[in-house]
Structures are given as structure tokens and as C-alpha cells.
Amino acid sequence: MNRLIYLPLGGAGEIGMNAYVYGYGPKGKERLILVDLGVAFPDMDASPGVDLILPDVGWLHDKLDRLEAIFITHAHEDHIGALPHLWPGLEKKVYCRRFTATIGRLKFEEAGLPVDQIVTVEPRPATVEVGPFKVQFVPVSHSIPESSALVIDTPAGRIFHSADFKIDHTPVVGEGWDDARFSEIAAERPVKVMACDSTNVFSTHPGRSEATLAEPLTELIRSRSGMVVATTFGSNVARLKTLAEAARAADRTICVLGRSMKRMLSAAEEAAVLSGFPKTVSPEEALEVPRRNLMLLVTGSQGERRAASAQLSRGKYLGIEMKEGDTFLFSSKTIPGNERDVLRVWNAFSEMGVQVIDDQNGKYHVSGHANRPDLEHVHRLILPDMLIPMHGEHRHLTEHARIATESGIAAAVAPNGTMLDLTGDVPEVAEYVETGRLYMDGTSMIGALDGVVRDRIRMALNGVVTVTLILDETDTPMGEPWVELMGLPPTGRGERSLSETMEADLDEVIGRLGRKVLADDDKLEEEIRKVVRQVAMEEIGKKPEVTVVISRLVAE
Amino acid sequence: MNRLIYLPLGGAGEIGMNAYVYGYGPKGKERLILVDLGVAFPDMDASPGVDLILPDVGWLHDKLDRLEAIFITHAHEDHIGALPHLWPGLEKKVYCRRFTATIGRLKFEEAGLPVDQIVTVEPRPATVEVGPFKVQFVPVSHSIPESSALVIDTPAGRIFHSADFKIDHTPVVGEGWDDARFSEIAAERPVKVMACDSTNVFSTHPGRSEATLAEPLTELIRSRSGMVVATTFGSNVARLKTLAEAARAADRTICVLGRSMKRMLSAAEEAAVLSGFPKTVSPEEALEVPRRNLMLLVTGSQGERRAASAQLSRGKYLGIEMKEGDTFLFSSKTIPGNERDVLRVWNAFSEMGVQVIDDQNGKYHVSGHANRPDLEHVHRLILPDMLIPMHGEHRHLTEHARIATESGIAAAVAPNGTMLDLTGDVPEVAEYVETGRLYMDGTSMIGALDGVVRDRIRMALNGVVTVTLILDETDTPMGEPWVELMGLPPTGRGERSLSETMEADLDEVIGRLGRKVLADDDKLEEEIRKVVRQVAMEEIGKKPEVTVVISRLVAE
């Protein structure tokens, strides 16, 4: 008997790192497709030093003969970012719409991967047939061009995978929302399962259109006398267009700073989703424009240290400098966890006399995700038998399931690794699959639980003591043990040198150790560790990490 | 000629760590008072492993003969927290109101300091005279009992130091706001300078009273069928009372979990600022109460890992366990930077089936600080010649100065270390004083710029390689160099052992080094460092921190 399964490998239980598997076929032999392959971003608290976080798609690795294809819903990093890193282990065709394909091919080129594996698909009714799946791309509005929901037809029924979306009748870039487009999907064939974006389920007011920003932004930019600098996500091409047009209306020349933003704009033009973007000038040319006639569009809405906004907050960037009387606008929302970085930039501008303006509770920014009333509206249009909340932290999934259940739709909270059997009338847990996160660290890939990052966190919290001891052929210590401190105060109580106190105590203790301990690396190390921690507790009230290096000279 | 000066040592340019100096007298010989001595809290991004952040009051240390006294406006940690740590270097009488004194004496007792140095002062018209200063405590509402503004009279004029305050006519605990109390201060003697709380200057709506929470909280608690657990700041005694009374109205027995919360409640009763608090039961007794008749008040509104809320989110705490159908309420606001910790707790509860309710945009929480319209109202009551924004990040100070200036009040942005001369009609910068932050790290005090914490951050970001090399009396390496890795992936490209690759390359390079380099520790270390970093870049794409230990055997 064939079954229909759903398995999130990422994105369900977190915001970011989206990766969803659908399968159809006999149990354990289902044909599979993968929808999205995104990254999450590291932070100092939990993943210091890490460059990127990727979903562990190891579950797929021994099922490659069953994996039909990869579908990417849109070009945000949390949906496409892991593709160049994980594709080499999957090597399946990648289907997406034109703009997403443009971004995907840029990534493949940089990674030296075959760009012809990325296939551009036109929107519904165009259909990709792979194995038992017929997949169509349905245009939806979001904060990037050409985001698409997927209609996935299987012999067991129709799936509607919402991807990231909002209801926007006037989205500035791309097609406006049209209820008919969605009710038609359900009319054509009843929707068995809807997997649905959950990120904004706690926002209780209806979402607002991108087009509502034009007027307040134009007014704001017109009212300022100095240079105006605005930041937003580089991929929010509609916002960039709104900002640029507002700037033009205020007689300002536009200059774009930041590689990722420029890249998105040119990809949008290449994919023909953006036209009529006002002419921009180079940073050199911008220097010739009077400040009151200049508007910069810059990267760094999250206060990222290397982005243009942070660079400008620290001083000159590409010859351009912010000054008293200038204005900096965050046409963006701070993602939870980035508050400190954003405020650092804000305060640095404040010190320069630059007035910083944030989104002012939505006046200068609207979200790209559907809020609760919008989700409820879409539930009613699609009328699915089952609702699977996806893309959200556990709290979002639970809340989304709750509102679905309240309106009579069977719903299941399925965090990463929960395989659901969707064959019947209600979702049932089929299996729990081991999933996890991979850390891209420099050029290495390490498991989140490998201990490498745990050690980094411990070193940062506790500091490190390295003890070196040399013993001769007869297991007799040669000279005193040597102590090095890293990340620890150099002196303890009464201004005594901490390392010297440790060395003295170690020397004394080691002098009293018996032959058996001295001859045994493990026991000796344990003794040394004990002394170091004890001295540290007494002297500085901390228990540091301890590395012991025992060198034994051998007769030649 | 005498002058009047103001010097923030902490709190101006940040939220937290308040410490303000006022002085009057001949230049360089001013008699001084210190207002507040608070802490700030560390974070993993900037101060990993640190326990507390304190203002550097070193400027006062060689002026102790000029320091008259310390005044503490209220018992929040960011106003009193540094007192037990820094008082031993100051040793001056500490003046405060009864509740603050109760908390202060507890701290002094724990630190083994003389509690008789803390002097309880009654509110205005009671007056403390120290040197040229006459100081009165003016009751204001805030999120802790007995917060007080200070009227500081000097021969050069009257100062109104607002401390942390809000306008609340029905504050549940303490006296309600009364305009007359403040206009009277200005009527009695014109206020030359107002130093004013700036934390909420970006909140554009008028603040709401603590009393507005009783009804919605009662309704909420009454509507829940399982156990209800609520968190708020332990020092917000009024909120605790509101929550407890709401619980009683809903027929629930109250149990308080968390040391700091219990301590605040008993201090409030001791200081006679709290009466009629409903009877509470112990955790053991709570276990006997049906869940629908139980309400817990717990610490940990900021998701702190060791607080009761986080403990409950991880499992049993003192025998009590949250279950499906229970409710957890954050009657609090998340302080920027604590989002991740709070959401971790929220998601963990969500996984248990516990419904989490946040402040719902103010329905279940009100701020303890004056919002912009309230600040403007107080400016009009006090009518100062000059306004000095205090307690806020740079952006708050700037904005507060801007609104003061717009209404015709001379204002100056004076971040920590900016000494203002307030003798004339407008504030003038007299001097820039070196200030900074001290880190309490275990039992040590280290300077924020000492490099200790910088090393910790580097280790966390880059990992650590320790290389040990032994040379004999003739500077000949004995055996191979030994490499230890911490916080680094064990293997590089092609699954080669990273440490073995490093050892092999080091051995080869060291084998080629000339006598001169081998005999010179610095040069040898530099060569080793270079090789290690080069191998690391090639193998794992990272530049780790490198510790080199060179041991030289000497002929005995």
C-alpha cells in the first residue's frame, strides 16, 4: 500500500534553515522530493565562530535513488542558502522560478557546480512531473521577487505548500494577491494537505501592503535636509524600488552600497521582475552630489558588522561619511537576537549627530509574512483536510495548529525529524528521524553536537589554563611545570601572579606524587587538573578549562 | 570662584550601571556627592564569562577627602548593585529611603560590610546636609517600592535629579503621582538643572498605570483551567501584589518560587511598604493543591538560565512540574539582548503543551519609566533652566535633549566621563574624564580593556592551538613538536588529522631552521605560529589563536 509522507529536516521548530521532504509510495520505498534547502545564521551565544548553519540532510544520503528532485520556493537564504553546500551530496535537478534560478546559478557558479542543474519553471499551469509528483509554482507575494507556493499533486491527493507568503494586493513588484487564484486551486481538486508558513501567527492585525509605504517614505525623505541613508534587506527589491522612487520624488540622486544589494538588483533586472528602477550613481559620483540631494541605499539592516550600515557608523566607507544633520532610516525590522548589533549602529550614528529613524511601528516597514487573520483567510480559501504548520519556532507551530483546529481543520505539530503519514484523514506520526544541524566553520563542516563549539563556549566562559610538564626516562619531572593562561586575569588575591601560584602549587604536589601516578599519563593529568582548578577557585573564584601536555623524554 | 559640576561615571550612554557625581566648590576642589552605584549585566557577545559589570569609579579614588556621601535613589540592581563591591574603595555614608536601605543592608551583611553606614532618610521635607549640599528624597512611582527623585540644593542653585520614575496616579504600592508635589518644588526655589531619566523617550504614548493591569490579569487567570505560572521582575512588588490578588480572586493558592523574589517581598514587608499580600504556601504544600487552584509567582522574566522559569521549562523544579493545559505568563517586557533566552523558555514550554502568554502589547505589563509625553509633562512642571538627559543609551540622551531644546530648555548630551559645568545659564563641557567599566569575573575585578575578555572572545571565534616544543642544551629539538586543539574540527581536508598535519609541517619547518632562530624564543615562536596558521587556513579555512610553549632543557 502506498503512503504519502511529510518530513521536515529543517525549518519546523526554528525560523530559518527550511528543508521539507515529501514522499509517496510503498512504506520505506517512497519516491521523494525536497522542498527548499536553506541556512540559519549563527550567534555568539550558541555557535561562536561558526559561519553558517545548515540542516543535516543525512537522512537523504542513503536514499538518493529515491530522491526525484529539489524545488526551491524563493531566493531567501533560509530557503536557498544551503543549496551550493549540500547539493554535491544530493546531485538532483533543482526546479525554481526565474529570479530564484538567477540567484541559484550565481551561487552554483561561485561554488563551481553545474549551473545547468538549475531549471527555470514558469508559474502554474506549467507543471514539473517527477516520479509520482506533479508540481506547479503559484506566485505569492513576499519580501523578495517571485516567491512561490507549490501545488504538489500526488496519487494520494493534492498538497498546497505555502512557502513564505503574505497577502498583498499591491506588492509594488510582482503580481498582486488574488483570492480567485487560490480558491481555484481548491476547486480544481480538493486540497488534502496544506503546509503553511507560521512565522507571523502571533501578529493579530491583518498584514499591510508594500504600497502603503510609498507616501510616508516620500514625505520623510522630502522633509530631511541632509543626506538620507536607508537600509532594508537587499533582497527586498520592492522596498528598494519604493525607497528609490521616494528619493527621486524628493529630488535625490541614488547610490547603492553593499555587494548583496547590488547583486539582488541586477538579478531582478536580469530576471525581468524589476523595471523602471531609477538610475543610480557610483560612490565616487555620489561624492559630487550635494548632501540634500543624495540618498544612499545600503546593506546592513540587522547591524551586521561588515555591512555598509555598520561601516558608515564607524567612519568613512568608500569615501562617503555620515555627518551631523544626516538621517539614517531602518526600513526594516530587527530579527530577534540582532537587537544589540542594530542598537550599536544606531548609537554610533547618534554620536555623529545623525538622526536615526526606525520602522516606527510599521510606518516605514511592512512584514513579508502573513499575519494571523491572513493565515485564517487562506485556510478558508484552500480548505485543506489537514494543516501542517511549518516555518516557525515550536511556539509558532503550536499556535498555528491551535487556530486551525479551532476552525475544524485537522492539524499536527511536526517539528524537524517528525515524519507524518498523511495518507488518511488526519496526520499521523509515522516515525521520528534523527535530524540536526551542521555548522559550516571556515571550510569545514562540523556537527552541532560534535563538541567543537561546546569547547569554544566553555573557553569563552571559563578561560583556559595550559600546563606543560616534562618527565625524563625515569618518570622524574624535569624542572617545574609551566603554566600559560588565556582569557584569565593575570593575578589572584593579594595581587599574586596566578600562573606562578599555580606553578608553585603544582611543583609541590607533583613532588609528593608516587612513581605509579608519575608513570601514568591519565592519573598525572588528573592530579594536575585538580590542583589547577583548586588554585583558580581560591585565587580568582573560577573553574577554568585545563589542557595538560605531558612530555616524556625517552632514551635514544 | 565656585562652580557646580555634573559628571556621569555610568548610566549616561547605556542602560544600566548608573553612577552620577555632582560637585560644588572652587575648580578642582569641589565638594562631591555620588548618586547611585549600579551594575550592568554581561552578555556572551561582548563579555563572556563575566559575572557583573561595574562602573569604574577610579576618578573618585584620589578625591575621597572631597567626597561627602553616597545617595541611592532606589533598590534596582542598576542603581545599587555595585555598592557592596565598590563601597570598600569609597567608605562614605550611604543615604536612602527605608526599602532601599533594607536591601542595601542585606547586601552589606553578605559582603561583611558595616551596615550602620547605610542611613535611612525620610522623604522630603526631611533633608540630608552634607558639605554644601542639601538633599531631599521625593517619592516617585517606578517598578520598585520607594524610588525617589532627589532635590539637591547647592549655593549655585537647585538640582532636580529624577532618578527612574513614571507618572502613575494609582501605583498599587506607594503614593500616587501628584503634580502639585513637583510644581511645588519649582515654586519653592527655581530649578536650575534637571537630570532626567531617558530610557523611554522613544515611547510616544503616555504611560499607563499599574492599576490598569488588575482587571485583565484577573480575567486571564480566572479563565485558565490548569496551573498558572507568572513571572515578572522580583523587585516589582506592586506587580506581585496585583498578580497575587488576581490569583486570589480566581480562587487560587499562591506559591512564590525564586530566592530574589522572596527576598524582595520580605524586604517590602520589613520596610512596611507592602501590606495585605495574600498568604503564600511552600512548594511542598503547593503539590497538594489542585492545579486549577494554584498560581506560581516565579523569577526569570528575562529567561535567565538558573531562574525558576527556566528551571521549570527544563523539567521539575522543587518537585513542581508544568503540564499540558497549564499557562505561563510573562507579565514583563524582554530587555533588548535577552530575546533568545526568553524565546528558549517559551519554546520549551510550548513543547510541553503549556500555553505561553506574553505581555500582549501592554495588556499584562506596564513599564516603570516615563514615556515621552510624560517626560514633557514633567519638564513643564519642574521648568528647569537646563535639562541633562541621563540613564539611557546615546540615542536616548540625544532624543531627550532634542525634545527639551525644542521646548526652549537648554540641554546637553553628556555621556559617561563628560564633566559639565552648570554654573552659568547653559551647560558647558568642563572636562572629559577617563571612565570605563570593570568586570567582576569570579572573585576578580578586571578592566574591560585589559585584554582578558578580548582573548576569550577570540578563543570562542577562532579556536585554540597549543604547540609544545622541547629543545635540549644545544638548542636541538627533542622529538617532534606536540599540537593540541581546542574548539577546532579534528580533521581538515580529505579527513586528515589536523593536529598531525600541523605536527608534520612543524617538524619539517623546524628541521630547516638555523641555529640562530632555534636559540631565540621569540623568533622560534613566530615561525611556529606562522606554520600553524598556514596549515589551519589550508585545512579548515580558519586562523586559530596559537599558544606556543617552548621548553629548554638545561644541563644540571
Side-chain angles (χ1 to χ4, degrees):
Chain A
M1 214 189 82
N2 293 325
R3 63 175 191 172
L4 177 66
I5 57 169
Y6 162 86
L7 171 63
L9 297 174
E14 67 210 330
I15 293 183
M17 210 177 90
N18 291 277
Y20 306 93
V21 174
Y22 291 96
Y24 179 78
K27 184 176 171 181
K29 290 180 180 167
E30 297 88 355
R31 305 301 300 172
L32 308 169
I33 57 171
L34 174 61
V35 177
D36 288 340
L37 200 47
V39 294
F41 294 99
D43 59 65
M44 183 73 182
D45 286 87
S47 43
V50 169
D51 294 288
L52 272 182
I53 302 174
L54 306 115
D56 182 353
V57 295
W59 185 83
L60 287 172
H61 283 157
D62 59 358
K63 300 170 188 71
L64 291 184
D65 56 327
R66 290 163 51 195
L67 181 62
E68 300 282 355
I70 301 167
F71 294 83
I72 304 290
T73 61
H74 63 288
H76 273 151
E77 286 298 306
D78 57 339
H79 293 260
I80 197 176
L83 188 63
H85 307 292
L86 300 180
W87 188 86
L90 303 171
E91 299 205 348
K92 302 292 167 184
K93 280 243 160 39
V94 178
Y95 296 92
C96 48
R97 287 179 69 198
R98 189 181 311 270
F99 176 76
T100 311
T102 308
I103 300 293
R105 289 196 191 102
L106 285 171
K107 288 179 181 291
F108 265 43
E109 258 166 34
E110 279 178 2
L113 299 174
V115 291
D116 64 349
Q117 294 297 300
I118 297 184
V119 183
T120 303
V121 185
E122 293 303 311
R124 180 176 141 88
T127 305
V128 179
E129 268 201 67
V130 289
F133 301 99
K134 290 180 185 140
V135 182
Q136 300 177 323
F137 286 76
V138 186
V140 290
S141 300
H142 186 42
S143 43
I144 192 168
E146 296 194 332
S147 193
S148 299
L150 301 179
V151 170
I152 304 169
D153 277 313
T154 75
R158 173 164 277 196
I159 297 163
F160 183 78
H161 181 98
S162 80
D164 287 1
F165 77 103
K166 69 180 290 190
I167 294 183
D168 195 334
H169 296 89
T170 49
V172 179
V173 162
E175 294 172 77
W177 179 271
D178 178 7
D179 275 1
R181 202 187 311 147
F182 297 89
S183 38
E184 189 192 283
I185 289 168
E188 196 181 75
R189 187 184 182 195
V191 173
K192 187 177 178 63
V193 179
M194 175 168 172
C196 188
D197 179 6
S198 309
T199 53
N200 276 19
V201 70
F202 287 108
S203 299
T204 51
H205 57 283
R208 282 169 46 229
S209 170
E210 184 67 29
T212 61
L213 300 176
E215 201 181 302
L217 283 171
T218 307
E219 256 174 50
L220 172 72
I221 294 167
R222 192 175 276 148
S223 73
R224 313 304 300 174
S225 54
M227 179 165 71
V228 175
V229 181
T231 187
T232 190
F233 274 111
S235 53
N236 195 338
V237 171
R239 183 68 47 79
L240 292 175
K241 193 176 176 195
T242 306
L243 286 164
E245 284 174 351
R248 286 309 304 144
D251 246 339
R252 288 178 186 264
T253 299
I254 298 144
C255 172
V256 177
L257 295 187
R259 188 170 155 272
S260 63
M261 195 176 271
K262 284 190 197 165
R263 182 171 159 148
M264 279 292 167
L265 283 174
S266 72
E269 279 173 358
E270 193 184 322
V273 294
L274 176 67
S275 61
F277 194 85
K279 186 177 154 292
T280 62
V281 300
S282 69
E284 298 74 39
E285 290 166 323
L287 288 171
E288 305 301 317
V289 178
R291 302 183 88 74
R292 58 176 306 118
N293 295 115
L294 187 60
M295 162 104 167
L296 309 184
L297 295 174
V298 306
T299 51
S301 67
Q302 301 303 309
E304 302 93 327
R305 275 163 202 269
R306 288 179 208 166
S309 69
Q311 303 257 22
L312 284 168
S313 81
R314 292 193 292 263
K316 263 192 197 171
Y317 180 58
L318 301 176
I320 298 177
E321 203 170 2
M322 300 282 288
K323 283 190 182 156
E324 184 157 359
D326 290 343
T327 301
F328 188 92
L329 168 68
F330 284 98
S331 181
S332 56
K333 188 131 199 105
T334 303
I335 294 173
N338 296 341
E339 287 77 8
R340 281 197 205 100
D341 293 333
V342 168
L343 293 180
R344 188 182 301 116
V345 169
W346 184 333
N347 282 310
F349 281 134
S350 175
E351 287 182 33
M352 293 179 184
V354 171
Q355 189 168 358
V356 176
I357 294 172
D358 66 6
D359 77 317
Q360 310 239 330
N361 291 319
K363 190 169 173 193
Y364 301 128
H365 173 72
V366 295
S367 169
H369 293 271
N371 290 353
R372 182 185 305 210
D374 309 321
L375 293 170
E376 289 169 331
H377 180 70
V378 176
H379 295 175
R380 285 190 297 267
L381 288 177
I382 300 290
L383 289 170
D385 296 335
M386 299 177 235
L387 184 114
I388 315 298
M390 63 172 184
H391 203 193
E393 297 169 11
H394 200 283
R395 64 196 181 105
H396 297 105
L397 307 183
T398 313
E399 183 74 0
H400 197 172
R402 204 178 61 73
I403 64 170
T405 309
E406 276 178 9
S407 66
I409 306 171
V413 172
N416 295 340
T418 311
M419 186 195 288
L420 293 181
D421 185 336
L422 305 171
T423 322
D425 293 332
V426 292
E428 274 171 28
V429 174
E431 197 182 326
Y432 291 104
V433 165
E434 221 173 282
T435 55
R437 317 181 124 206
L438 296 175
Y439 290 154
M440 212 182 85
D441 187 61
T443 52
S444 304
M445 206 74 94
I446 52 184
L449 303 176
D450 284 1
V452 172
V453 168
R454 182 202 56 206
D455 284 352
R456 286 186 200 161
I457 294 171
R458 286 187 182 162
M459 291 192 291
L461 294 176
N462 308 325
V464 177
V465 176
T466 305
V467 182
T468 314
L469 178 67
I470 307 174
L471 298 107
D472 69 12
E473 302 88 329
T474 67
D475 301 324
T476 308
M478 302 179 70
E480 290 188 2
W482 179 262
V483 167
E484 290 265 352
L485 309 176
M486 283 184 82
L488 288 167
T491 55
R493 296 200 289 187
E495 297 302 302
R496 271 187 301 216
S497 156
L498 179 59
S499 55
E500 283 173 20
T501 309
M502 284 179 179
E503 284 166 355
D505 276 33
L506 279 169
D507 197 41
E508 200 199 310
V509 170
I510 291 168
R512 287 199 310 259
L513 291 176
R515 286 282 139 197
K516 265 200 180 159
V517 176
L518 287 172
D520 183 327
D521 277 6
D522 290 344
K523 283 187 186 148
L524 181 52
E525 205 176 305
E526 203 190 305
E527 289 293 334
I528 290 174
R529 222 173 268 278
K530 215 163 66 186
V531 173
V532 167
R533 295 210 165 166
Q534 201 178 311
V535 174
M537 267 316 282
E538 277 166 24
E539 294 289 321
I540 59 167
K542 281 183 92 91
K543 274 190 196 152
E545 303 303 300
V546 186
T547 305
V548 180
V549 181
I550 297 171
S551 304
R552 292 181 187 277
L553 298 188
V554 283
E556 314 239 333
Chain B
M1 215 188 83
N2 293 327
R3 63 177 192 173
L4 177 65
I5 58 170
Y6 163 85
L7 170 64
L9 297 175
E14 68 211 328
I15 293 181
M17 211 178 89
N18 291 277
Y20 307 93
V21 173
Y22 292 96
Y24 179 80
K27 183 177 171 181
K29 291 181 179 165
E30 295 89 355
R31 305 303 299 174
L32 308 169
I33 57 171
L34 174 62
V35 177
D36 287 340
L37 201 46
V39 295
F41 294 99
D43 59 66
M44 184 71 183
D45 287 87
S47 43
V50 168
D51 295 286
L52 272 183
I53 303 174
L54 308 120
D56 181 353
V57 297
W59 185 82
L60 287 171
H61 284 158
D62 58 0
K63 301 172 186 69
L64 291 183
D65 56 326
R66 290 163 51 196
L67 181 62
E68 300 281 356
I70 301 168
F71 294 84
I72 304 289
T73 60
H74 63 289
H76 273 153
E77 285 299 306
D78 58 339
H79 293 259
I80 197 175
L83 188 63
H85 307 291
L86 300 180
W87 189 86
L90 302 171
E91 299 204 347
K92 301 293 167 184
K93 279 244 159 45
V94 178
Y95 296 93
C96 48
R97 288 180 68 198
R98 188 179 313 269
F99 176 76
T100 311
T102 308
I103 299 293
R105 287 195 192 104
L106 284 171
K107 287 179 182 290
F108 265 42
E109 259 166 33
E110 279 179 3
L113 298 174
V115 291
D116 64 347
Q117 293 298 297
I118 298 183
V119 183
T120 302
V121 185
E122 293 303 312
R124 181 175 139 88
T127 305
V128 179
E129 268 201 67
V130 289
F133 301 99
K134 289 182 184 138
V135 182
Q136 299 177 323
F137 286 76
V138 186
V140 289
S141 300
H142 186 43
S143 44
I144 192 168
E146 295 194 334
S147 192
S148 300
L150 301 179
V151 169
I152 304 169
D153 277 312
T154 74
R158 173 165 277 197
I159 297 163
F160 182 78
H161 181 98
S162 79
D164 288 359
F165 77 103
K166 69 179 288 191
I167 294 183
D168 194 334
H169 296 89
T170 50
V172 179
V173 162
E175 292 172 78
W177 179 271
D178 179 7
D179 275 1
R181 202 186 313 145
F182 298 89
S183 39
E184 187 191 285
I185 288 167
E188 194 180 77
R189 187 183 181 195
V191 173
K192 185 176 179 64
V193 179
M194 175 168 172
C196 188
D197 180 4
S198 308
T199 54
N200 276 19
V201 70
F202 288 108
S203 299
T204 51
H205 56 283
R208 283 169 45 230
S209 170
E210 185 68 29
T212 62
L213 299 176
E215 202 181 302
L217 283 171
T218 307
E219 258 173 51
L220 173 73
I221 294 166
R222 191 176 277 150
S223 72
R224 311 306 300 175
S225 54
M227 178 165 72
V228 175
V229 182
T231 185
T232 190
F233 274 110
S235 53
N236 195 338
V237 171
R239 182 69 46 80
L240 293 174
K241 192 175 177 196
T242 306
L243 286 164
E245 284 173 350
R248 286 308 305 143
D251 246 339
R252 289 177 185 264
T253 300
I254 298 145
C255 172
V256 176
L257 295 187
R259 188 170 156 270
S260 65
M261 195 177 270
K262 284 190 198 164
R263 181 170 159 146
M264 279 292 169
L265 283 174
S266 72
E269 278 172 358
E270 192 185 323
V273 293
L274 177 68
S275 61
F277 193 86
K279 184 178 154 292
T280 62
V281 300
S282 70
E284 299 73 40
E285 291 166 322
L287 288 171
E288 306 301 315
V289 179
R291 300 183 89 72
R292 58 176 308 117
N293 295 116
L294 187 60
M295 163 104 168
L296 309 184
L297 295 173
V298 306
T299 52
S301 68
Q302 301 303 308
E304 302 93 326
R305 274 162 204 271
R306 289 178 208 166
S309 68
Q311 305 256 22
L312 285 168
S313 80
R314 292 192 293 264
K316 263 191 194 169
Y317 180 59
L318 302 176
I320 298 178
E321 204 170 1
M322 301 282 286
K323 283 190 181 156
E324 185 156 358
D326 289 344
T327 301
F328 188 92
L329 168 68
F330 284 98
S331 181
S332 55
K333 189 132 199 104
T334 304
I335 294 173
N338 296 341
E339 287 78 6
R340 280 198 206 100
D341 294 333
V342 168
L343 293 179
R344 187 182 301 116
V345 169
W346 185 331
N347 282 310
F349 280 135
S350 176
E351 287 181 34
M352 292 178 183
V354 171
Q355 190 168 358
V356 176
I357 293 171
D358 66 5
D359 77 317
Q360 311 240 330
N361 290 319
K363 190 170 173 192
Y364 301 126
H365 172 71
V366 295
S367 169
H369 292 272
N371 291 353
R372 182 186 305 211
D374 309 322
L375 292 170
E376 289 170 332
H377 180 71
V378 176
H379 296 175
R380 284 190 298 267
L381 289 176
I382 300 290
L383 290 170
D385 297 334
M386 299 177 237
L387 184 114
I388 315 298
M390 63 172 183
H391 202 193
E393 298 169 11
H394 200 283
R395 63 195 182 105
H396 298 104
L397 306 184
T398 313
E399 184 73 0
H400 198 171
R402 204 178 61 72
I403 64 170
T405 309
E406 275 179 8
S407 66
I409 305 170
V413 172
N416 294 341
T418 311
M419 186 196 288
L420 293 180
D421 184 335
L422 304 171
T423 321
D425 293 331
V426 292
E428 273 170 29
V429 174
E431 196 182 328
Y432 291 104
V433 165
E434 224 173 281
T435 56
R437 317 181 125 208
L438 296 175
Y439 289 154
M440 212 182 85
D441 187 61
T443 51
S444 303
M445 207 73 95
I446 53 184
L449 304 175
D450 283 1
V452 172
V453 168
R454 182 200 59 206
D455 284 353
R456 285 185 200 163
I457 293 171
R458 286 187 182 162
M459 291 193 290
L461 293 176
N462 308 325
V464 178
V465 176
T466 305
V467 182
T468 314
L469 179 67
I470 307 174
L471 298 108
D472 68 12
E473 302 89 330
T474 67
D475 301 325
T476 307
M478 301 179 70
E480 290 187 3
W482 180 260
V483 167
E484 291 265 352
L485 307 176
M486 283 186 82
L488 288 167
T491 55
R493 297 200 287 186
E495 297 303 302
R496 270 189 299 219
S497 156
L498 180 59
S499 56
E500 283 172 21
T501 310
M502 283 178 178
E503 284 166 356
D505 276 32
L506 279 170
D507 197 41
E508 199 199 311
V509 170
I510 291 168
R512 287 200 309 261
L513 291 176
R515 286 283 138 199
K516 265 198 179 160
V517 176
L518 288 171
D520 183 326
D521 277 7
D522 290 344
K523 283 186 186 149
L524 181 53
E525 205 177 306
E526 203 188 308
E527 290 293 333
I528 290 174
R529 221 173 267 275
K530 214 163 68 186
V531 173
V532 167
R533 296 209 164 168
Q534 202 177 311
V535 174
M537 267 315 280
E538 277 166 23
E539 294 289 321
I540 57 166
K542 282 183 88 93
K543 274 190 197 153
E545 303 302 301
V546 186
T547 304
V548 180
V549 181
I550 297 171
S551 303
R552 293 181 186 275
L553 298 188
V554 283
E556 312 240 336

